[in-house]
Each structure stands twice: as structure tokens, then as C-alpha cells.
Amino acid sequence: MFILASSSSSRLEILNRLKLKPEFIVSPEIDETKKKKETPKMLSARLAKEKGAKVSLEHPNKIILSADTVVCIGRTVIEKCTTEDEVKKAITLLSGKSHKVFTTICTTLNGVCKIRTTETKVKFKKLSTQEIDFFIASGEGINKAGGYTINGLAESFIIQIIGSVSGVIGLPSVQTINLLKSYGIENFNQN
């Protein structure tokens, strides 16, 4: 069994589809501020590790699965959007451009962590003002890295995706299965 260190409903949905059921879920609160000279990939890895480490302190001897997703254009990180104005700014910036999504998953057990990071390239079509306004009104971009979720309305904005679709959603399936398998947790052996 393992503990999911995430408040993301999308990550839990992916685990459910994979027939991997966490023992329980803990939502770790950490400072997610980007450090000076930290690349988006480094940020994703650090935050995933810090989330796992924090929950591991409260639950020693348990396998902790944590993750973090960072959306960026170049080295510019597009933060998790908490307001409609932030969503509008993010979606307007992504319109007509390619961006990268880094998702790092981390397993932590007794202070030892294993990490895997996926890099996915996503290209959005050029969006009209009406499309952006409609998307903002849907509320889908709130509390999402980059101001969108790929498994919603924004799916219709994507011209091309190269990499892990489940990684963009927040939990790369192949890497998650492989990391948990390294602890003897296998989805096809679950009851």
C-alpha cells in the first residue's frame, strides 16, 4: 500500500483508472516559490520531492507517492492559476504557441526517494477572444498549472502533443506504474 501526497482529483482519477488505490490521501502544504536560477524541470523535481518528504515525516515506514506539474514557455513558469484574471493571462500567453509541461513523480520510503520526470511538448492553436472568454467562464482553469487541464475544454485547443498525455494531466501512467512496481505494488495484483 502507498499514500498519495496530493490534493489533485486528476491524479486520483488516473490512479483509479490504473487500478492503483492509495491507502489514504494527504495534501501537503509546501512553499512552491521558484528559486533563483531554477529551471522549470528542476522546480518540478524539487517540489515533488519536498511534498513526499513532508508527508514521509508524518508517516514513516510508508511508501509516499507525490507529484508536481510545471507548465512553461522557455524558462518562464506559468503558475497555478487561482483567479479568472490569472487564467486569462495564462491562456492568452499559451495561445498560438508551443509550451512544455514537466511532471515529476516521486516515491519516498524511509527518507529515500526515487524520481521520474516527464517532459511533454504541447502546441495550442491561436485562440479567439470568444474562445478565451468561454474557457474562462467554464472555471476549468482555476487551480490548474498553466491555467488549463488537458482533459477538459482545453483539449480542443491542442494542435499537437508530443510526450505523456497523463503527465500533462498530472501523473504519468507508465512511470507511476514502474515506480510503484519497484516496491512490489502492481495494479494487476490488486483486489
Side-chain angles (χ1 to χ4, degrees), residues 1 3 36 68 78 89 105 116 133 138:
M1 296 303 290
I3 295 170
K36 207 171 187 180
D68 192 77
I78 303 168
K89 184 178 176 185
I105 57 168
R116 301 290 181 273
D133 290 344
S138 76

Side-chain angles (χ1 to χ4, degrees), residues 26-37:
V26 177
S27 182
E29 294 294 323
I30 63 165
D31 179 4
E32 297 193 17
T33 307
K34 182 179 178 280
K35 295 185 179 195
K36 207 171 187 180
K37 296 187 179 182

Side-chain angles (χ1 to χ4, degrees), residues 107-121:
T107 52
T108 306
L109 177 62
N110 297 323
V112 177
C113 68
K114 300 177 187 178
I115 67 166
R116 301 290 181 273
T117 302
T118 60
E119 177 182 331
T120 305
K121 186 177 176 183

Side-chain angles (χ1 to χ4, degrees), residues 18-160:
L18 297 175
K19 307 296 185 208
L20 291 164
K21 185 174 168 63
E23 187 175 344
F24 56 92
I25 300 166
V26 177
S27 182
E29 294 294 323
I30 63 165
D31 179 4
E32 297 193 17
T33 307
K34 182 179 178 280
K35 295 185 179 195
K36 207 171 187 180
K37 296 187 179 182
E38 191 171 44
T39 67
K41 184 176 181 178
M42 291 164 57
L43 174 64
S44 173
R46 178 177 60 82
L47 296 179
K49 287 162 86 172
E50 285 182 7
K51 290 173 186 178
K54 182 164 186 179
V55 174
S56 186
L57 290 174
E58 301 164 13
H59 302 280
N61 306 316
K62 294 279 188 177
I63 299 163
I64 311 299
L65 174 65
S66 56
D68 192 77
T69 300
V70 173
V71 177
C72 62
I73 293 181
R75 288 181 67 103
T76 302
V77 172
I78 303 168
E79 303 286 342
K80 186 182 288 185
C81 297
T82 57
T83 67
E84 287 185 355
D85 285 341
E86 289 175 356
V87 173
K88 183 172 187 172
K89 184 178 176 185
I91 294 300
T92 301
L93 180 62
L94 296 174
S95 174
K97 297 184 184 103
S98 292
H99 62 278
K100 289 184 181 176
V101 180
F102 292 98
T103 296
T104 300
I105 57 168
C106 176
T107 52
T108 306
L109 177 62
N110 297 323
V112 177
C113 68
K114 300 177 187 178
I115 67 166
R116 301 290 181 273
T117 302
T118 60
E119 177 182 331
T120 305
K121 186 177 176 183
V122 181
K123 183 171 184 179
F124 273 21
K125 70 177 186 173
K126 183 74 175 156
L127 301 171
S128 68
T129 303
Q130 292 83 4
E131 286 173 311
I132 293 171
D133 290 344
F134 181 74
F135 180 76
I136 292 164
S138 76
E140 282 189 12
I142 301 293
N143 292 322
K144 301 295 180 190
Y148 76 95
T149 178
I150 198 171
N151 53 342
L153 284 174
E155 182 178 5
S156 66
F157 302 163
I158 297 169
I159 294 172
Q160 184 180 47

